[in-house]
Amino acid sequence: MKMTHNNIPLELKRITTVYVDKEDRIGLIGVAESGQHHRLWLTQRLLTQLIERLLLWLPQNPEEIQQIAQQIAQAKREPELAVVASSDCSNWLVQEISLNSAAGVIGLQFKSDRDQHLVTVRFNEVRLRQWLDIVFSQYQYAGWLGVAWPGWLSTKVELGLPEGVAVH
């Protein structure tokens, strides 16, 4: 199992989420605080199951409240440069995702086959809403079906970002 020297999973501090047509998968490219890069591949089936669970983790408010919360999260997104995989980046298919939640934060623990690789990504509610918005756009780009996306998630706020700037 690839772990830090403290014997705990690596935590990815920044991620870039992108659909890769050639792979027909969503790729998560992340970097840990140590600078170590990981490229995780997520199948549509596994990611769809994850999205359904993440949508249930969010507060279950009326549609209007959800839409306002989503618009606020979208407006708070700040432009960042995309995380680019380093030449020595580990590259692996996610086989299992575990969720844990505490104090308004949800942790996603991504595991490879036989737990050879193990990394964690943590989101508070705003960051999760921002990431779900990115995943939603990647699903649309890929032409993937299978998720019953709520109406409040598909309402966009135009951020007016320069071309080529990724938002994470």
Side-chain angles (χ1 to χ4, degrees):
M1 198 179 295
K2 291 206 173 184
M3 297 187 160
T4 65
H5 64 280
N6 295 332
N7 211 24
I8 57 174
L10 286 172
E11 183 173 349
L12 300 180
K13 295 298 185 182
R14 285 191 343 112
I15 60 171
T16 294
T17 305
V18 62
Y19 172 75
V20 178
D21 190 46
K22 186 171 121 179
E23 298 285 338
D24 193 30
R25 294 187 180 154
I26 297 282
L28 281 182
I29 303 166
V31 62
E33 203 165 297
S34 65
Q36 185 176 7
H37 287 79
H38 287 264
R39 180 182 291 132
L40 291 63
W41 293 105
L42 295 155
T43 63
Q44 181 183 3
R45 179 192 55 80
L46 189 59
L47 190 54
T48 296
Q49 292 171 357
L50 173 64
I51 291 164
E52 290 167 352
R53 292 181 61 199
L54 292 176
L55 289 170
L56 291 173
W57 182 81
L58 291 170
Q60 301 301 301
N61 294 317
E63 180 83 12
E64 302 80 30
I65 303 296
Q66 292 283 31
Q67 188 171 8
I68 291 167
Q70 189 65 28
Q71 288 174 346
I72 289 169
Q74 290 169 344
K76 287 183 176 182
R77 287 196 323 196
E78 295 184 17
E80 296 182 45
L81 295 176
V83 178
V84 179
S86 61
S87 59
D88 63 342
C89 176
S90 65
N91 192 22
W92 47 279
L93 178 65
V94 176
Q95 296 290 325
E96 181 182 336
I97 305 170
S98 300
L99 304 179
N100 56 58
S101 177
V105 174
I106 189 161
L108 286 61
Q109 190 171 77
F110 298 96
K111 301 174 187 177
S112 67
D113 189 35
R114 296 184 301 274
D115 294 344
Q116 182 182 2
H117 298 280
L118 184 64
V119 298
T120 300
V121 177
R122 297 185 197 290
F123 296 107
N124 63 22
E125 181 184 340
V126 171
R127 296 291 286 184
L128 178 59
R129 287 180 179 278
Q130 292 169 346
W131 187 65
L132 285 170
D133 188 55
I134 291 166
V135 172
F136 173 74
S137 68
Q138 295 303 299
Y139 260 68
Q140 288 183 313
Y141 178 75
W144 286 358
L145 305 173
V147 174
W149 294 101
W152 53 262
L153 187 58
S154 60
T155 304
K156 295 282 186 191
V157 173
E158 292 299 322
L159 299 177
L161 300 175
E163 191 171 322
V165 174
V167 183
H168 314 273

